[in-house]
Amino acid sequence: MLLSKESPRMRTYPATPVEMIAGLWRHKELIYVSAKREVLGRYRGSLLGLLWSFFNPLFMLAVYTFVFSEVFKARWNAANDSKVEFALVLFAGLLVFNLFAECFNRAPGLVLGNPNYVKKVVFPLEILPFVVLLSALYHAAISLGVWLAAYVLLIGMPHATVFYLPLIVIPFLMFVMGLSWALASLGVFLRDVSQITSVLTSVLLFLSPIFFPVTAIPEGYRHLLYFNPLTGVIEQVRAVLYWGAAPDFQLVTIYWIVGICIAWIGFAWFQKTRKGFADVL
């Protein structure tokens, strides 16, 4: 299926929106196997194995909660001193950020780290970012399960608005995929991209409303926070998960339009540039 002798330079790579979806569906079995290997490979040889997927988010949550609620005395609501509220609201923001960061940081090295897929076999390179996305989604799903369990134990039954979550997350995933395709291509031609994404990830961690509410920013500068693509998503996810509020449907509609456009632009860029991968690698 994969060991075709056809030269990558001789092939044509459609870049239409239909091909973007059809290609992923066509290679769904390969994507599943690769994503499974990706998840299991991360913990291969460790004593606890997949249990680390539960312990890692819990450990980081405990550290962040202690540092920001005890050391820096941060509070989400001035009228409420609850550390439970702070921990759950913080964790909801980290769910979005960690999913983004895993894909964003790994994207520049996806093609660069697999030269054999480019030179020796005809491999559907366009699935590589999706494999990483599925791996990140697995860990995000585990973290979400931990969040929901903590909410049930500490507060009670979650709000029914939790069912709005896919409406917010799906366009965000399309945005991440488009960005990953673009970065995977750029990473082949410009090796500094991985260094840039690493720095940007650290910047976004502290310029996103993860450890503080948007209202904590002075009103004159608050609009600048929305240039960060994570801000709106984090706020909407928190709204439906913790606060029990319906999402801003006008904003969600914009997310869908932008997500679809970014996904297609990133895919088209990847398909148009992939003929040059073999020459660089």
Side-chain angles (χ1 to χ4, degrees):
M1 179 175 63
L2 299 176
L3 301 178
S4 169
K5 298 297 183 180
E6 183 183 0
S7 170
R9 297 181 186 86
M10 301 297 293
R11 297 191 67 195
T12 57
Y13 301 102
T16 64
V18 173
E19 177 59 25
M20 177 177 68
I21 299 170
L24 295 176
W25 177 256
R26 189 163 55 244
H27 301 293
K28 59 184 181 296
E29 293 181 5
L30 178 60
I31 291 172
Y32 171 77
V33 172
S34 300
K36 183 178 179 181
R37 185 175 60 213
E38 177 81 19
V39 171
L40 295 177
R42 176 176 301 192
Y43 305 105
R44 185 175 292 117
S46 63
L47 185 63
L48 296 179
L50 286 176
L51 286 176
W52 282 114
S53 348
F54 293 92
F55 293 140
N56 282 337
L58 285 175
F59 176 72
M60 294 311 299
L61 174 62
V63 170
Y64 281 133
T65 301
F66 173 76
V67 171
F68 285 91
S69 67
E70 294 294 336
V71 178
F72 293 115
K73 304 298 181 183
R75 294 293 181 269
W76 222 265
N77 185 350
N80 189 347
D81 198 39
S82 171
K83 294 181 179 62
V84 170
E85 178 182 273
F86 184 86
L88 290 175
V89 174
L90 169 64
F91 200 13
L94 285 174
L95 285 174
V96 176
F97 177 81
N98 288 340
L99 191 156
F100 172 82
E102 183 170 350
C103 298
F104 188 66
N105 282 330
R106 294 191 57 192
L110 289 178
V111 178
L112 201 59
N114 295 285
N116 288 339
Y117 289 169
V118 179
K119 294 182 176 182
K120 297 183 178 180
V121 298
V122 177
F123 184 88
L125 297 173
E126 69 274 11
I127 74 169
L128 291 176
F130 196 67
V131 169
V132 172
L133 179 63
L134 286 183
S135 173
L137 268 176
Y138 167 80
H139 293 98
I142 295 295
S143 296
L144 178 60
V146 170
W147 189 95
L148 290 171
Y151 191 96
V152 170
L153 290 173
L154 299 172
I155 297 179
M157 287 301 295
H159 300 284
T161 53
V162 70
F163 293 106
Y164 282 122
L165 194 60
L167 193 65
I168 302 166
V169 172
I170 291 174
F172 177 63
L173 297 182
M174 291 190 287
F175 168 78
V176 171
M177 272 300 298
L179 204 58
S180 297
W181 272 316
L183 291 172
S185 173
L186 286 173
V188 176
F189 302 104
L190 185 62
R191 306 300 170 91
D192 293 334
V193 172
S194 60
Q195 305 301 322
I196 296 171
T197 56
S198 179
V199 172
L200 283 177
T201 302
S202 299
V203 171
L204 286 173
L205 176 62
F206 294 101
L207 290 184
S208 300
I210 297 173
F211 306 109
F212 55 86
V214 172
T215 53
I217 304 297
E219 193 169 350
Y221 299 97
R222 198 173 297 169
H223 67 282
L224 297 176
L225 200 62
Y226 285 93
F227 284 101
N228 178 350
L230 300 183
T231 297
V233 180
I234 290 173
E235 289 290 292
Q236 294 299 304
V237 166
R238 280 188 178 134
V240 301
L241 279 182
Y242 188 83
W243 305 116
D248 182 335
F249 291 105
Q250 183 177 1
L251 192 59
V252 168
T253 301
I254 295 173
Y255 287 165
W256 276 88
I257 295 171
V258 172
I260 292 170
C261 290
I262 294 296
W264 176 59
I265 291 170
F267 176 73
W269 170 263
F270 185 89
Q271 293 292 77
K272 294 297 183 182
T273 57
R274 66 187 292 179
K275 286 186 177 181
F277 292 170
D279 295 329
V280 177
L281 296 175

